[in-house]
Amino acid sequence: MSFIINWEKLDKKVALSVQLQINQFFAGLDDRPSFLGDISVESLDFGSVAPNLEIVDLTEPFPEFYMATEEDEGDLQPPLRASEDDMQLLAKVEYCGDMSIILKTELQLNYLTKQFVSLPVTLHITKIEFSALAVVAYLQDRVNFCFLEPLPPRTSLLDSFVIRTEIGDADHHVLKNVEKLEQFITEQLRKAIDEDFVFPSYHSFEIDD
C-alpha cells in the first residue's frame, strides 16, 4: 500500500538534528587525509520532492526502541514502557528528489611547513538517489526512525549523488587533490549514512502535543 508523505513537515529543526549527527561523524574521523582540514555540514535542505513509500508490513516495535539511551548531553533517557497504541511500520523507500547538502572544508598545502597554505572548499551535494527499507516506530510521545541494512550485492543505502566542488584557488597543484577529495567525501558520506541511520542505530523525534 502506497501513501502520501507530508514532506514539508521535515522542517529546519529536523534538518539540524540530521546535520548534527553527520557533523559528529565527521568530527570523529581518524583517517582524514593530511591535505584535508575539518569537514562540516554547513546546510541541509530536504527539498520539496518527497520519496515514494510503500508499506510492506505493520509489526510490534523493535525491543531495542524501549531500552534506555544516552542523550547527546550525556544524560540517560530512561527505558520506555510499551503501550497498546505503539506500532511500527516497515516501508519500502525510493528517493530521487531535490535534497541538497553543503559541506565546508579546507585544502591544506603542507609545503615547507604544516598548513603552509589553506584554501576554503565548498562541496555541493545534489541529485541524491537511494532506496531502502525504512522502519518507523510510533511510541507514545516519540517517533523512532531508521533503515534496515541493504541486501547484497548492495553495500550502501546511497545509490548515487553528484558532488560539485568550489575551491578558493584554481592553482594547478591544488586541483590535483580535488579528485582525491571528492572520492574521500563520497566514501565517508556513504559511511556516515550507513553507520548512523541503519539499525541498530536509529533516531528519535519527540511528537509535539
Side-chain angles (χ1 to χ4, degrees):
M1 179 177 65
S2 299
F3 59 95
I4 298 175
I5 306 172
N6 292 321
W7 193 245
E8 66 276 6
K9 296 293 185 180
L10 297 180
D11 55 15
K12 291 183 178 180
K13 181 179 179 181
V14 178
L16 285 173
S17 176
V18 176
Q19 184 175 330
L20 176 63
Q21 293 295 326
I22 299 177
N23 278 336
Q24 288 178 341
F25 172 85
F26 281 133
L29 289 179
D30 296 325
D31 56 347
R32 193 172 70 242
S34 61
F35 63 81
L36 193 61
D38 292 337
I39 307 167
S40 64
V41 179
E42 183 179 72
S43 69
L44 187 152
D45 187 346
F46 287 109
S48 59
V49 180
N52 294 320
L53 258 71
E54 180 182 350
I55 296 178
V56 177
D57 201 0
L58 181 62
T59 66
E60 296 292 327
F62 292 148
E64 289 84 350
F65 290 159
Y66 294 100
M67 295 180 179
T69 57
E70 185 175 346
E71 301 294 324
D72 293 333
E73 298 80 8
D75 298 330
L76 188 65
Q77 178 72 31
L80 296 175
R81 290 186 176 181
S83 167
E84 61 180 11
D85 295 326
D86 294 347
M87 66 174 182
Q88 177 172 286
L89 297 176
L90 178 63
K92 182 179 180 181
V93 183
E94 293 183 349
Y95 180 80
C96 181
D98 55 350
M99 180 188 297
S100 63
I101 303 172
I102 297 179
L103 301 179
K104 290 282 190 178
T105 186
E106 289 182 338
L107 277 181
Q108 299 174 345
L109 304 185
N110 299 318
Y111 179 69
L112 298 179
T113 184
K114 187 176 181 181
Q115 298 181 16
F116 182 66
V117 177
S118 296
L119 296 173
V121 178
T122 303
L123 300 107
H124 300 262
I125 300 173
T126 57
K127 298 183 179 180
I128 299 170
E129 296 183 13
F130 69 85
S131 59
L133 285 177
V135 175
V136 183
Y138 295 88
L139 310 174
Q140 301 165 48
D141 64 343
R142 68 187 58 235
V143 173
N144 288 354
F145 176 83
C146 65
F147 294 107
L148 297 184
E149 187 174 354
L151 297 175
R154 296 180 64 212
T155 59
S156 175
L157 295 178
L158 290 177
D159 294 317
S160 67
F161 54 87
V162 172
I163 298 180
R164 178 172 60 85
T165 303
E166 295 178 359
I167 196 166
D169 192 330
D171 182 85
H172 177 69
H173 298 290
V174 176
L175 291 178
K176 288 195 299 185
N177 278 331
V178 171
E179 184 177 351
K180 292 181 181 179
L181 167 61
E182 292 182 349
Q183 181 180 358
F184 178 78
I185 292 296
T186 296
E187 293 173 353
Q188 297 305 320
L189 191 58
R190 290 184 189 277
K191 188 176 180 182
I193 299 300
D194 293 338
E195 288 189 1
D196 288 351
F197 292 88
V198 173
F199 187 79
S201 297
Y202 65 90
H203 294 270
S204 187
F205 305 96
E206 292 186 358
I207 302 175
D208 295 331
D209 294 333

